[in-house]
């Protein structure tokens, strides 16, 4: 097994549409462990750091306006192969390309309102987690059902 931590963020559309509980439940029901969780307003500076790789893209301005337009729910999720597995649960960037059963397909319509962010690689998770959480905010505990999730 390859246990890893990934950064996940429910974007302002997910919060305003009342989907926080449903989205969190999907990760819990799958067997992942939430090890850090906070609600916050992203500042323009944080948006620039988080989405800096897209600075030259035509959608960058709209993306940063959207991500700072309301509260987000940020979390660190822990589990076997978490980075790849959670990206699969999130689905394709454009909800219209996302496969049924994924979060972006099931709740979304357009790329600029795609509800959720998840780290796309170990290097992204290592960069993104410290933008939102101090080391003392990431909890180390054992799920009581761990032996019923992992063989
Ligand atoms: N062509 C586009 N038009 C509008 N918005 C876009 C477009 N491409 C990407 N975005 C927005 O920028 C975000 C970051 O794009 P990226 O290519 O990193 O996709 P992603 O990795 O699937 O999404 P995220 O990084 O938010 O998890 C997308 O989630 C979406 O909100
Ligand atoms: Mg991305």
């Amino acid at each position: 097994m390859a246990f890893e931590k990934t950064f996940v963020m429910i974007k302002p559309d997910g919060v305003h549409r009342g989907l926080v509980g449903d989205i969190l439940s999907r990760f819990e029901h799958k067997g992942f462990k939430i090890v850090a969780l906070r609600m916050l307003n992203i500042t323009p500076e944080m948006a620039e750091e988080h989405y800096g790789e897209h600075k030259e893209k035509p959608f960058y301005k709209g993306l940063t306006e959207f991500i700072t337009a309301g509260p987000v729910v940020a979390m660190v999720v822990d589990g076997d192969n978490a980075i790849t597995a959670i990206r699969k649960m999130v689905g394709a960037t454009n909800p219209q390309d996302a496969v049924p059963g994924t979060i972006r397909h099931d709740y979304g319509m357009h790329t600029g309102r795609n509800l959720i962010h998840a780290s796309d690689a170990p290097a992204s998770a290592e960069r993104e987690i410290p933008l939102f959480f101090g080391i003392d905010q990431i909890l180390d505990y054992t799920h009581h059902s761990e032996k019923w999730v992992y063989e």
Side-chain angles (χ1 to χ4, degrees):
M1 283 193 280
F3 277 86
E4 51 191 17
K5 290 181 174 55
T6 187
F7 176 70
V8 177
M9 179 171 67
I10 303 173
K11 298 178 181 180
D13 51 341
V15 174
H16 275 287
R17 292 179 53 202
L19 296 171
V20 172
D22 284 6
I23 292 172
L24 281 178
S25 290
R26 286 182 176 227
F27 301 136
E28 291 185 312
H29 291 167
K30 171 75 179 169
F32 284 115
K33 184 164 67 175
I34 295 164
V35 294
L37 185 69
R38 70 181 277 229
M39 191 172 200
L40 72 152
N41 287 307
I42 295 199
T43 62
E45 294 72 31
M46 288 175 87
E48 190 176 341
E49 261 193 279
H50 181 70
Y51 278 129
E53 63 178 307
H54 298 304
K55 214 164 177 180
E56 307 307 324
K57 309 258 175 75
F59 59 81
Y60 179 74
K61 185 168 178 287
L63 173 60
T64 52
E65 284 170 0
F66 164 59
I67 209 72
T68 58
V72 302
V73 174
M75 70 196 88
V76 179
V77 182
D78 182 286
D80 187 25
N81 200 26
I83 295 169
T84 301
I86 297 238
R87 285 286 287 192
K88 278 189 193 161
M89 292 176 75
V90 163
T93 306
N94 182 344
Q96 297 196 7
D97 296 330
V99 173
T102 62
I103 293 165
R104 285 172 173 169
H105 171 277
D106 291 355
Y107 301 121
M109 285 286 182
H110 284 163
T111 305
R113 300 285 183 272
N114 66 1
L115 294 150
I116 186 160
H117 162 83
S119 304
D120 60 8
S124 312
E126 275 174 37
R127 184 179 69 79
E128 292 165 1
I129 290 170
L131 288 179
F132 290 84
F133 295 99
I135 195 77
D136 59 337
Q137 294 173 306
I138 301 168
L139 306 184
D140 184 16
Y141 67 101
T142 304
H143 250 177
H144 82 108
S145 61
E146 200 160 288
K147 69 174 180 170
W148 301 111
V149 172
Y150 296 110
E151 56 181 335

